[in-house]
Amino acid sequence: RSDEHASDAEVLLVKAQIASSLNQTDKAAALYDDVIKQEVQPFGVQARLEKAMLLNHAGKLDDKAVLAELEKLRMMWRGDDLELRILTALSERQLAVGDVVAGLKTMRIATVNFPNSDDARAMGARMPDIFADYFINDGASNLPPIQALSLYYDFQDLTPIGRRGDELLRHLAEHLASLDLLPQAETLLRYQIEQRLHGGVAKAQVAVRLAGLYLLDRKPQEALQTIRATAQNGLPEDIDEQRRLIEARSLGS
């Protein structure tokens, strides 16, 4: 009888999916309810997931209610493609309502739990851009500064390589510096110079900014060391002039 019960639930689920694909929203929702009443898993959990997403897309269930339902479902079902579908839907809703931090955390759970899934790998490939956009487009500036810095370190491995990642670091450092969190800003720029930039104008520019922060923080010796350690020929005249000025101020302090 249990096998029959499961078979009945599966048939109802397929009927609900067909109605949904035909945009028969009310009929599909009623059929999903019939599946849920069967109390046979995983069909009941799948029906709840698909019903919630159907009603949300139809404007009959708001984002807050959908998020609450998805949070319940992620606790109810673990360990297979259905869990991944739940986590995917949850992260998409979190991002859609602007909760980027929660979305990234959910995406990380999905990528860790399903390392062999193509869908999870595709999700992981999107994460660095989402992370960078959050910092570069001022999303993180709405967070308390220490929380923004903590978020950066929690997801530091998502920092994109190349220019975009460097832009993220400079943006966060400027945010911290504007709030007088000079040591934290210095740490970020020093990491950028030592680990990410290998010569060129960009390294010289960041060194100017770091040395300037050191002077504001009453660390003239560190400012002087930064300028001298990043010395190079052929820099644009304006950057060269800034570096000479900081060196003179450091020596005079």
Side-chain angles (χ1 to χ4, degrees), residues 162-184:
R163 187 176 300 174
R164 191 162 168 75
D166 293 329
E167 185 181 358
L168 183 162
L169 285 166
R170 285 196 298 273
H171 205 82
L172 178 55
E174 291 300 334
H175 177 49
L176 295 171
S178 71
L179 298 167
D180 290 328
L181 295 171
L182 298 180
Q184 292 88 344

Side-chain angles (χ1 to χ4, degrees), residues 20-200:
S20 177
S21 70
L22 295 173
N23 294 318
Q24 297 171 346
T25 303
D26 292 339
K27 180 180 178 180
L31 285 165
Y32 281 130
D33 283 337
D34 290 340
V35 178
I36 295 164
K37 289 172 187 173
Q38 298 283 320
E39 296 185 346
V40 177
Q41 307 306 355
F43 305 113
V45 171
Q46 187 173 342
R48 285 181 61 171
L49 168 64
E50 293 179 9
K51 178 189 173 186
M53 301 310 293
L54 170 70
L55 295 180
N56 181 244
H57 288 310
K60 297 186 176 185
L61 194 66
D62 64 28
D63 288 332
K64 185 177 179 181
V66 171
L67 284 168
E69 176 72 348
L70 292 172
E71 287 285 4
K72 291 176 188 174
L73 293 176
R74 71 181 288 201
M75 297 295 115
M76 290 176 60
W77 195 260
R78 301 283 178 86
D80 62 13
D81 287 345
L82 180 55
E83 181 192 359
L84 179 57
R85 285 183 60 194
I86 293 168
L87 291 171
T88 300
L90 177 59
S91 67
E92 287 174 353
R93 289 291 92 200
Q94 288 165 330
L95 293 174
V97 301
D99 195 348
V100 176
V101 177
L104 284 171
K105 288 179 179 178
T106 301
M107 293 171 88
R108 170 157 282 175
I109 291 169
T111 57
V112 169
N113 288 1
F114 299 92
N116 299 318
S117 163
D118 289 341
D119 289 339
R121 281 195 287 266
M123 185 186 296
R126 290 175 54 215
M127 291 174 70
D129 281 336
I130 294 169
F131 181 61
D133 285 343
Y134 187 59
F135 280 94
I136 293 170
N137 297 330
D138 288 329
S141 64
N142 297 321
L143 297 175
I146 297 301
Q147 191 175 337
L149 190 60
S150 175
L151 174 67
Y152 168 74
Y153 284 120
D154 284 345
F155 291 96
Q156 188 175 6
D157 59 299
L158 295 179
T159 306
I161 60 173
R163 187 176 300 174
R164 191 162 168 75
D166 293 329
E167 185 181 358
L168 183 162
L169 285 166
R170 285 196 298 273
H171 205 82
L172 178 55
E174 291 300 334
H175 177 49
L176 295 171
S178 71
L179 298 167
D180 290 328
L181 295 171
L182 298 180
Q184 292 88 344
E186 292 158 9
T187 297
L188 285 176
L189 294 182
R190 192 167 59 247
Y191 164 76
Q192 188 176 9
I193 289 170
E194 293 174 354
Q195 303 296 328
R196 292 180 60 90
L197 298 171
H198 306 287

